[in-house]
Amino acid sequence: MSLGGFIALFKERWQALSRTQKIISILVAIGVLVCFFYIGLVAARPVYAPLLSGLDPKEAGVIAEKLKTMKIPYQLADQGQTIKVPEPQVYEARIQLASNGVLGDSGSGFELFDQNKFGQSDFDQQVNYQRALQEELRRTIIHLEGVEEARVHLVIPQKSVFANDQGTPTASVSVALKLKPAVRLKPEQVQGICDLLVGSVEGLKPENIHIIDAEGNVLSDVFKSNNEPGVVMTRTTLDQQKLQRDYEKELEKRVQQMLTRITGQNNSVVMVTADLDFNQQQTTSTTASNPDNLKISEHSIKETGRGSDAGGAVGTDSNITTAPFAQGTGSSNYSREDNTTNYQVSTKQETMVAAPGRVRRLSAAVVVKDNVESPVDILKVKDAVAAAIGYDQSRGDQINVSSMPFDDSFQKNFDAELAKEKSEKEKGRLYAYIIAAGVLLAVLLTLLVIFLLRRRRVAERFAEDEEEEEFITVGALEAEPEQEFKDDRQEQIRKMASEKPEDVAEILKIWMAD
């Protein structure tokens, strides 16, 4: 079909519509055009992504002015605390803002010394060093998990050139932290910040470090009191109690899982008490043994002698005799034997160190719900619990298993309230369905009534047309004079055209279509 034929067909169809249909068609066309226009605007609108968040009003104002200068569109969100820019320009905008020194974290660190300036005094050098060190520490701290922003203030004593004026200069550091929402620093993290500061500032002691958060809470008290004996003992005791409770919970979990499979859900209660020994014991034992009789040294002396005189010459050793003096001819005999033997004694030395946390005693209490229909064998449950917790009678372990009725009124009330709430939700959903069905039925009835009325109106219109056609018949024309018939017909047509112009137009359209 050519364009002219399509236009002619459209004009014909358009002229065949009534005034109401034309108005409705025009409104529908305008609505469709508006929808397409809105969809086009949404599709062409750039997607904005957060550039910076958590800004102060002053910082947000400075950044917004800079973005205007850079001709980058932006949007404000979160009551002015977040600035958004088109997503493709996020990184470019950040780089430009950082290079221009607009961002809050663009302070100068040790790059202050990259440019040598003539005429600087020692005081200027000291101040620049302090500024650079503060910025370097701040950059390091904000990279820690949970820290959003930080400010570091250093107090570094000035060194004197005179030895007598040195004294004991000490440095001091104050750190203000802005934590992320719903974040609390652990003592280990605060201790890490303390160690970082101590290792970075010369002459700094832990007691001269002050750390606070944005709410004014002092965080540095955690590690300042670590050197106090009482605090150390308290923390050690708390750690031991936590380990003991974790061990008890683990045993309770194991026994509860087993009893749940036996008695069912919420039909048993288990409590375990563990007595742990956190004392570290060291035992050294030495055992002597000589299985091979190892000989390491031996000393043996054996002497024999024989003589006929009573004595020797005067003044000599021979005058000394070991035999009793004998009168007469004289005779002597001398013998000596001295044996010394040393044996190696083998020893075995053992050192045993008992690790802290040894179980000294376990006590378990198990209560099973009393069920009249299917009672539980207490002895079997006791044996199962003993095997699960590692029962040792020599340690004095105790297990108490009893059966008694449970107070389940709270559970019943909770279930009743839950069922009531569920019933109310179902009723509300049912009411919503009924209302929706009623509205839909009303709309359908309205459309049906409109259709019937319109159909009745069309039928009446066709009936009127038939009556008008029957009114002007051939017999009537023959009975009346020709001129009178023409005048009367023209008068009727004028009257009908003035009273019912729409019906006349419809009839003409039908005739033209035929």
Side-chain angles (χ1 to χ4, degrees), residues 321-355:
T321 61
T322 59
F325 178 75
Q327 296 180 357
T329 58
S331 178
S332 64
N333 187 9
Y334 169 77
S335 178
R336 179 187 177 188
E337 186 174 355
D338 186 2
N339 297 322
T340 302
T341 304
N342 294 324
Y343 294 93
Q344 175 67 40
V345 180
S346 299
T347 60
K348 182 179 180 182
Q349 185 175 0
E350 295 181 352
T351 301
M352 182 179 296
V353 179

Short mmCIF file of all heavy atoms in Angstrom, two decimals, residues 321-355:
data_model
loop_
_atom_site.label_atom_id
_atom_site.label_comp_id
_atom_site.label_asym_id
_atom_site.label_seq_id
_atom_site.Cartn_x
_atom_site.Cartn_y
_atom_site.Cartn_z
N THR A 321 110.53 -51.84 110.39
CA THR A 321 109.98 -53.14 110.00
C THR A 321 108.51 -53.16 110.28
O THR A 321 108.01 -52.46 111.16
CB THR A 321 110.68 -54.27 110.80
OG1 THR A 321 110.43 -54.06 112.18
CG2 THR A 321 112.17 -54.28 110.57
N THR A 322 107.86 -53.97 109.47
CA THR A 322 106.42 -54.14 109.64
C THR A 322 106.09 -55.36 110.45
O THR A 322 104.95 -55.55 110.85
CB THR A 322 105.75 -54.24 108.26
OG1 THR A 322 106.29 -55.33 107.55
CG2 THR A 322 105.97 -52.96 107.46
N ALA A 323 107.11 -56.20 110.60
CA ALA A 323 106.86 -57.43 111.37
C ALA A 323 107.19 -57.19 112.82
O ALA A 323 108.03 -56.33 113.16
CB ALA A 323 107.70 -58.58 110.82
N PRO A 324 106.62 -57.88 113.75
CA PRO A 324 106.94 -57.73 115.17
C PRO A 324 108.38 -58.13 115.44
O PRO A 324 108.96 -58.97 114.74
CB PRO A 324 105.92 -58.63 115.86
CG PRO A 324 105.46 -59.59 114.83
CD PRO A 324 105.58 -58.94 113.54
N PHE A 325 108.88 -57.42 116.39
CA PHE A 325 110.28 -57.67 116.71
C PHE A 325 110.42 -59.09 117.25
O PHE A 325 109.65 -59.53 118.09
CB PHE A 325 110.76 -56.66 117.77
CG PHE A 325 112.18 -56.88 118.19
CD1 PHE A 325 113.23 -56.52 117.35
CD2 PHE A 325 112.45 -57.47 119.41
CE1 PHE A 325 114.54 -56.72 117.76
CE2 PHE A 325 113.77 -57.68 119.80
CZ PHE A 325 114.83 -57.30 118.99
N ALA A 326 111.45 -59.77 116.71
CA ALA A 326 111.72 -61.16 117.14
C ALA A 326 113.15 -61.27 117.61
O ALA A 326 114.06 -60.76 116.96
CB ALA A 326 111.46 -62.14 116.01
N GLN A 327 113.32 -61.85 118.68
CA GLN A 327 114.65 -62.07 119.23
C GLN A 327 115.26 -63.32 118.60
O GLN A 327 114.57 -64.21 118.17
CB GLN A 327 114.57 -62.21 120.74
CG GLN A 327 114.07 -60.93 121.44
CD GLN A 327 114.00 -61.10 122.94
OE1 GLN A 327 114.28 -62.22 123.45
NE2 GLN A 327 113.71 -60.04 123.66
N GLY A 328 116.51 -63.41 118.63
CA GLY A 328 117.21 -64.59 118.09
C GLY A 328 117.83 -64.26 116.77
O GLY A 328 118.31 -63.16 116.52
N THR A 329 117.78 -65.25 115.95
CA THR A 329 118.41 -65.10 114.63
C THR A 329 117.73 -64.04 113.80
O THR A 329 118.33 -63.43 112.93
CB THR A 329 118.41 -66.44 113.89
OG1 THR A 329 117.05 -66.87 113.77
CG2 THR A 329 119.17 -67.48 114.70
N GLY A 330 116.43 -63.80 113.92
CA GLY A 330 115.73 -62.74 113.17
C GLY A 330 115.31 -63.15 111.76
O GLY A 330 116.13 -63.70 111.02
N SER A 331 114.03 -62.97 111.45
CA SER A 331 113.48 -63.28 110.12
C SER A 331 112.26 -62.39 109.88
O SER A 331 111.46 -62.19 110.81
CB SER A 331 113.10 -64.75 110.04
OG SER A 331 112.53 -65.03 108.79
N SER A 332 112.01 -61.79 108.68
CA SER A 332 110.87 -60.89 108.37
C SER A 332 110.24 -61.24 107.04
O SER A 332 110.94 -61.73 106.14
CB SER A 332 111.34 -59.43 108.37
OG SER A 332 112.28 -59.23 107.33
N ASN A 333 108.90 -60.90 106.88
CA ASN A 333 108.14 -61.12 105.64
C ASN A 333 107.11 -59.98 105.49
O ASN A 333 106.32 -59.74 106.41
CB ASN A 333 107.43 -62.47 105.70
CG ASN A 333 106.77 -62.80 104.35
OD1 ASN A 333 106.98 -62.12 103.38
ND2 ASN A 333 106.00 -63.87 104.35
N TYR A 334 107.08 -59.28 104.36
CA TYR A 334 106.24 -58.09 104.18
C TYR A 334 105.34 -58.30 102.95
O TYR A 334 105.80 -58.73 101.90
CB TYR A 334 107.11 -56.85 103.97
CG TYR A 334 106.34 -55.64 103.53
CD1 TYR A 334 105.57 -54.92 104.42
CD2 TYR A 334 106.37 -55.23 102.19
CE1 TYR A 334 104.87 -53.81 104.04
CE2 TYR A 334 105.67 -54.13 101.79
CZ TYR A 334 104.91 -53.41 102.71
OH TYR A 334 104.20 -52.30 102.32
N SER A 335 104.06 -57.96 103.03
CA SER A 335 103.09 -58.10 101.91
C SER A 335 102.06 -56.98 102.01
O SER A 335 101.51 -56.73 103.09
CB SER A 335 102.42 -59.47 101.98
OG SER A 335 101.48 -59.57 100.94
N ARG A 336 101.72 -56.32 100.90
CA ARG A 336 100.73 -55.22 100.83
C ARG A 336 99.95 -55.31 99.51
O ARG A 336 100.54 -55.45 98.45
CB ARG A 336 101.42 -53.88 100.93
CG ARG A 336 100.46 -52.69 100.83
CD ARG A 336 101.22 -51.41 100.76
NE ARG A 336 100.30 -50.28 100.59
CZ ARG A 336 100.70 -49.04 100.34
NH1 ARG A 336 101.99 -48.76 100.23
NH2 ARG A 336 99.80 -48.07 100.20
N GLU A 337 98.67 -55.17 99.55
CA GLU A 337 97.81 -55.23 98.36
C GLU A 337 96.72 -54.16 98.49
O GLU A 337 95.94 -54.15 99.45
CB GLU A 337 97.18 -56.60 98.23
CG GLU A 337 96.39 -56.78 96.94
CD GLU A 337 95.88 -58.20 96.77
OE1 GLU A 337 96.22 -59.06 97.60
OE2 GLU A 337 95.12 -58.43 95.80
N ASP A 338 96.66 -53.26 97.57
CA ASP A 338 95.69 -52.12 97.58
C ASP A 338 95.03 -52.04 96.20
O ASP A 338 95.69 -51.74 95.21
CB ASP A 338 96.43 -50.82 97.89
CG ASP A 338 95.45 -49.65 98.06
OD1 ASP A 338 94.22 -49.89 97.96
OD2 ASP A 338 95.91 -48.51 98.25
N ASN A 339 93.75 -52.30 96.12
CA ASN A 339 93.00 -52.30 94.85
C ASN A 339 91.91 -51.23 94.90
O ASN A 339 91.14 -51.15 95.87
CB ASN A 339 92.36 -53.66 94.60
CG ASN A 339 93.40 -54.75 94.44
OD1 ASN A 339 94.45 -54.51 93.84
ND2 ASN A 339 93.14 -55.94 94.97
N THR A 340 91.80 -50.38 93.86
CA THR A 340 90.76 -49.35 93.75
C THR A 340 90.16 -49.42 92.34
O THR A 340 90.88 -49.29 91.34
CB THR A 340 91.32 -47.96 93.98
OG1 THR A 340 91.92 -47.91 95.28
CG2 THR A 340 90.22 -46.90 93.87
N THR A 341 88.84 -49.62 92.23
CA THR A 341 88.14 -49.72 90.93
C THR A 341 86.96 -48.76 90.93
O THR A 341 86.11 -48.77 91.84
CB THR A 341 87.65 -51.15 90.69
OG1 THR A 341 88.76 -52.04 90.78
CG2 THR A 341 87.00 -51.26 89.32
N ASN A 342 86.87 -47.88 89.90
CA ASN A 342 85.76 -46.94 89.72
C ASN A 342 84.92 -47.38 88.53
O ASN A 342 85.43 -47.60 87.43
CB ASN A 342 86.26 -45.52 89.48
CG ASN A 342 86.98 -44.96 90.69
OD1 ASN A 342 86.60 -45.25 91.81
ND2 ASN A 342 88.04 -44.17 90.47
N TYR A 343 83.58 -47.45 88.74
CA TYR A 343 82.64 -47.83 87.69
C TYR A 343 81.79 -46.61 87.26
O TYR A 343 81.51 -45.74 88.08
CB TYR A 343 81.70 -48.96 88.17
CG TYR A 343 82.42 -50.25 88.44
CD1 TYR A 343 82.89 -50.55 89.72
CD2 TYR A 343 82.63 -51.16 87.41
CE1 TYR A 343 83.54 -51.74 89.98
CE2 TYR A 343 83.29 -52.36 87.67
CZ TYR A 343 83.73 -52.64 88.94
OH TYR A 343 84.37 -53.81 89.19
N GLN A 344 81.41 -46.59 86.00
CA GLN A 344 80.55 -45.52 85.46
C GLN A 344 79.09 -45.80 85.82
O GLN A 344 78.57 -46.87 85.52
CB GLN A 344 80.69 -45.43 83.93
CG GLN A 344 79.75 -44.43 83.29
CD GLN A 344 80.08 -43.00 83.68
OE1 GLN A 344 81.25 -42.65 83.76
NE2 GLN A 344 79.06 -42.21 83.93
N VAL A 345 78.45 -44.83 86.44
CA VAL A 345 77.04 -44.96 86.82
C VAL A 345 76.18 -44.28 85.73
O VAL A 345 76.28 -43.07 85.53
CB VAL A 345 76.76 -44.33 88.19
CG1 VAL A 345 75.28 -44.48 88.54
CG2 VAL A 345 77.62 -44.96 89.25
N SER A 346 75.34 -45.02 84.99
CA SER A 346 74.49 -44.47 83.93
C SER A 346 73.25 -43.82 84.56
O SER A 346 72.60 -44.43 85.42
CB SER A 346 74.06 -45.57 82.95
OG SER A 346 75.21 -46.13 82.35
N THR A 347 72.97 -42.60 84.13
CA THR A 347 71.79 -41.87 84.63
C THR A 347 70.90 -41.45 83.46
O THR A 347 71.40 -41.18 82.36
CB THR A 347 72.21 -40.62 85.42
OG1 THR A 347 72.97 -39.78 84.56
CG2 THR A 347 73.03 -40.98 86.64
N LYS A 348 69.63 -41.38 83.70
CA LYS A 348 68.64 -40.96 82.71
C LYS A 348 67.80 -39.85 83.31
O LYS A 348 67.13 -40.06 84.34
CB LYS A 348 67.74 -42.14 82.32
CG LYS A 348 66.72 -41.80 81.26
CD LYS A 348 65.88 -43.00 80.91
CE LYS A 348 64.85 -42.67 79.85
NZ LYS A 348 64.00 -43.85 79.54
N GLN A 349 67.82 -38.66 82.70
CA GLN A 349 67.12 -37.48 83.21
C GLN A 349 66.00 -37.10 82.25
O GLN A 349 66.23 -36.95 81.06
CB GLN A 349 68.08 -36.30 83.39
CG GLN A 349 67.45 -35.09 84.03
CD GLN A 349 68.45 -33.98 84.30
OE1 GLN A 349 69.64 -34.15 83.99
NE2 GLN A 349 68.01 -32.89 84.87
N GLU A 350 64.78 -36.98 82.75
CA GLU A 350 63.61 -36.63 81.96
C GLU A 350 62.97 -35.38 82.55
O GLU A 350 62.82 -35.28 83.78
CB GLU A 350 62.59 -37.77 81.94
CG GLU A 350 63.08 -39.02 81.23
CD GLU A 350 62.01 -40.10 81.22
OE1 GLU A 350 61.00 -39.89 81.90
OE2 GLU A 350 62.21 -41.12 80.55
N THR A 351 62.58 -34.45 81.65
CA THR A 351 61.89 -33.23 82.05
C THR A 351 60.54 -33.20 81.34
O THR A 351 60.49 -33.21 80.11
CB THR A 351 62.70 -31.98 81.70
OG1 THR A 351 63.98 -32.05 82.36
CG2 THR A 351 61.97 -30.72 82.14
N MET A 352 59.47 -33.17 82.10
CA MET A 352 58.12 -33.19 81.54
C MET A 352 57.42 -31.89 81.93
O MET A 352 57.36 -31.54 83.11
CB MET A 352 57.34 -34.39 82.09
CG MET A 352 55.92 -34.51 81.52
SD MET A 352 55.05 -35.94 82.18
CE MET A 352 56.08 -37.25 81.52
N VAL A 353 56.92 -31.17 80.90
CA VAL A 353 56.20 -29.92 81.11
C VAL A 353 54.75 -30.16 80.75
O VAL A 353 54.43 -30.48 79.60
CB VAL A 353 56.80 -28.78 80.26
CG1 VAL A 353 56.01 -27.49 80.48
CG2 VAL A 353 58.26 -28.57 80.59
N ALA A 354 53.87 -30.02 81.71
CA ALA A 354 52.43 -30.21 81.49
C ALA A 354 51.82 -28.92 80.96
O ALA A 354 51.96 -27.86 81.58
CB ALA A 354 51.75 -30.65 82.78
N ALA A 355 51.18 -29.00 79.81
CA ALA A 355 50.57 -27.81 79.20
C ALA A 355 49.38 -27.36 80.04
O ALA A 355 48.63 -28.18 80.58
CB ALA A 355 50.12 -28.12 77.78
#
